[in-house]
């Protein structure tokens, strides 16, 4: 195999991500030439594979890298059942992953229900839940998000006015319900993953909801703008990003990605500080969350808001930025006003120097 510069780059980033997560060389024999079977109990690395160019490239590269480290490598394929022929796409993707030597290859069909949220968000939540269930035995699950995905995520966050956490983009690693997720290719472009597929002779599937992947010579998307009923990310990718590239006259993807990295540094510091304060200011019981007004009222607004939002999220209590600010007013501007109504029958009420968040019936026993 001839290793092109983009393939070497992709391998390097994947190796680095695995090493940072603690999955380095498993035994000295894997450093020697020749093929070596991983131990039966070697850590299992699973690739979340949609069948698209990014995840097919990641599956192929991961198979090679894991073999060189003595790690087992498999794939998880989620069929959202939102398009005609989705089962066939999932089955074909599974066969391609098996042909690459991945084992196990698991396919999971899911049902996506809006439940008051947009279809994109509902599909994402259902997908992650299914991956967690199917990959509980995995040491890590790899996601094939690229530098382009990171830039698009930043733009979507700006459009939604979602604050620092949104413009910080996606993290390189995170944990969900005990499963570790890694995004090793946030510095690898979509152009490079396409080239890797071409280098390795890989076939892939293009999701039609992403729109035509053709850009004219003047930098504008072909066939005009996508209809408003297309997913927001698809419209950002197909319409907004090419326009920004022309408008800025440079590599907007890299600029947005660099900005996300800088924002992540600030976010990580704020989160660390907020966690330190939360350890003194927040207590959880079976049916409620309590905030100490005395501890929080002397903190900066940026810290207070994070403590409140993170605590409610940890307790599984849905809230918006508006709700978080209303609870913050119970700390900084309380003059006996009524509590804050939250979704699903929860509310936040202050009594002296404690704010209690619980479902409405629970306040009778406070």
């Amino acid at each position: 195999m001839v290793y092109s510069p983009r393939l070497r780059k992709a391998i390097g980033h994947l190796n680095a991500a695995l090493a940072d997560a603690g999955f380095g060389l498993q035994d000295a024999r894997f450093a020697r030439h020749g093929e070596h079977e991983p131990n039966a109990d070697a850590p299992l690395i699973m690739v979340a594979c949609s069948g698209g160019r990014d995840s097919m490239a990641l599956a192929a590269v991961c198979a090679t890298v894991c073999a060189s480290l003595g790690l087992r490598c498999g794939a998880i394929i989620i069929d959202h059942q939102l398009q005609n022929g989705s089962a066939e796409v999932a089955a074909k993707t599974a066969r391609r992953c098996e042909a690459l030597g991945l084992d196990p290859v698991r396919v999971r069909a899911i049902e996506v229900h809006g439940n008051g949220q947009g279809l994109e968000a509902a599909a994402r939540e259902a997908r992650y839940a299914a991956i967690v269930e199917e990959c509980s035995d995995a040491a890590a699950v790899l996601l094939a998000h690229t530098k382009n995905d990171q830039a698009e995520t930043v733009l979507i966050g700006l459009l939604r006015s979602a604050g620092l956490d949104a413009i910080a983009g996606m993290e390189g690693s995170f944990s969900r319900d005990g499963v570790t997720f890694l995004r090793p290719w946030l510095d690898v472009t979509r152009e490079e993953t396409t080239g890797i597929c071409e280098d390795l002779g890989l076939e892939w599937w293009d999701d039609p909801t992403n729109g035509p992947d053709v850009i004219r010579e003047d930098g504008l998307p072909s066939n005009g703008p996508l209809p408003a009923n297309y997913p927001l990310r698809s419209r950002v990718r197909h319409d907004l990003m090419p326009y920004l590239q022309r408008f800025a006259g440079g590599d907007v993807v890299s600029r947005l990605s660099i900005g996300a990295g800088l924002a992540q540094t600030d976010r990580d510091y704020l989160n660390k500080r907020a966690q330190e304060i939360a350890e003194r200011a927040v207590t959880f019981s079976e049916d409620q969350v309590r905030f100490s007004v005395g501890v929080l009222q002397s903190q900066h607004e940026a810290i207070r808001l994070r403590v409140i939002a993170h605590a409610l999220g940890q307790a599984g209590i849905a809230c918006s930025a508006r709700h978080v600010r209303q609870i913050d007013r119970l700390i900084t501007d309380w003059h006996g006003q009524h509590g804050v109504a939250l979704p699903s029958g929860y509310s936040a009420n202050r009594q002296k120097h404690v704010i209690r968040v619980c479902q409405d019936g629970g306040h009778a026993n406070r």
Side-chain angles (χ1 to χ4, degrees):
M1 179 189 299
V2 177
Y3 287 84
S4 63
R6 57 196 171 206
L7 186 52
R8 288 196 297 270
K9 174 183 174 181
I11 289 173
H13 282 293
L14 178 53
N15 266 315
L18 290 172
D20 288 345
F23 307 117
L25 190 67
Q26 298 297 297
D27 189 278
R29 76 179 190 273
F30 294 101
R32 298 192 291 267
H33 289 295
E35 296 184 2
H36 308 280
E37 285 293 324
N39 294 335
D41 60 350
L44 173 62
I45 307 299
M46 295 288 284
V47 179
C49 190
S50 68
R53 65 192 72 190
D54 300 335
S55 60
M56 283 307 305
L58 182 57
V61 172
C62 191
T64 298
V65 169
C66 284
S68 71
L69 296 174
L71 299 166
R72 293 182 294 145
C73 183
I76 173 66
I77 298 148
I78 303 298
D79 173 11
H80 297 81
Q81 302 187 96
L82 294 175
Q83 300 176 26
N84 292 332
S86 64
E88 181 181 351
V89 170
K92 186 175 293 186
T93 300
R95 290 193 295 271
R96 288 171 178 167
C97 288
E98 290 167 349
L100 292 170
L102 276 66
D103 182 28
V105 174
R106 299 166 182 165
V107 178
R108 170 76 176 269
I110 61 174
E111 294 185 3
V112 178
H113 304 286
N115 296 328
Q117 56 184 333
L119 189 61
E120 288 178 85
R124 182 174 58 251
E125 286 303 306
R127 177 170 63 253
Y128 275 113
I131 291 174
V132 166
E133 288 182 8
E134 293 289 337
C135 300
S136 60
D137 58 339
V141 176
L142 305 188
L143 304 174
H145 295 122
T146 65
K147 196 177 198 177
N148 300 74
D149 293 310
Q150 182 73 295
E152 292 158 8
T153 298
V154 171
L155 287 177
I156 291 169
L158 288 170
L159 290 171
R160 291 174 172 167
S161 302
L164 177 63
D165 283 2
I167 64 173
M170 296 179 286
E171 297 176 286
S173 64
F174 66 97
S175 179
R176 176 164 175 156
D177 296 330
V179 175
T180 297
F181 289 84
L182 303 177
R183 294 185 176 105
W185 281 0
L186 290 180
D187 199 37
V188 175
T189 67
R190 189 171 297 128
E191 180 183 17
E192 288 169 327
T193 62
T194 302
I196 289 169
C197 287
E198 293 169 349
D199 291 341
L200 300 178
L202 300 175
E203 296 183 4
W204 68 81
W205 168 75
D206 281 323
D207 186 343
T209 64
N210 287 333
D213 190 32
V214 179
I215 304 299
R216 302 189 321 220
E217 289 184 2
D218 60 5
L220 290 173
S222 64
N223 303 326
L226 292 178
N229 63 345
Y230 269 68
L232 176 59
R233 181 175 291 274
S234 299
R235 289 183 285 129
V236 167
R237 178 179 303 174
H238 185 267
D239 302 335
L240 181 56
M241 189 65 75
Y243 170 78
L244 290 176
Q245 291 280 128
R246 292 180 65 251
F247 180 85
D251 186 359
V252 171
V253 168
S254 290
R255 294 178 189 179
L256 291 170
S257 181
I258 290 170
L262 295 172
Q264 284 175 14
T265 300
D266 295 341
R267 179 195 61 192
D268 291 347
Y269 171 76
L270 289 172
N271 283 343
K272 179 180 178 182
R273 181 62 180 152
Q275 180 57 37
E276 293 171 351
I277 299 302
E279 290 174 359
R280 296 191 287 120
V282 183
T283 55
F284 299 91
S285 63
E286 183 177 346
D287 59 353
Q288 64 180 248
V289 181
R290 299 186 183 192
F291 297 97
S292 169
V293 174
V295 174
L296 290 174
Q297 62 187 359
S298 62
Q299 302 302 317
H300 190 280
E301 179 183 12
I303 300 300
R304 293 196 311 269
L305 295 176
R306 284 179 178 273
V307 169
I308 296 168
H310 291 179
L312 295 180
Q314 185 176 340
I317 301 173
C319 66
S320 65
R322 176 177 59 85
H323 294 129
V324 171
R325 288 195 173 277
Q326 288 176 333
I327 295 174
D328 187 53
R329 285 195 60 200
L330 296 179
I331 299 171
T332 62
D333 187 28
W334 187 61
H335 42 80
Q337 68 263 40
H338 292 299
V340 177
L342 302 173
S344 301
Y346 282 89
S347 61
N349 292 269
R350 175 169 171 174
Q351 186 179 49
K352 296 183 179 179
H353 299 294
V354 175
I355 295 172
R356 293 178 173 85
V357 181
C358 59
Q359 289 189 308
D360 292 341
H363 287 289
N365 300 318
R366 66 183 185 271

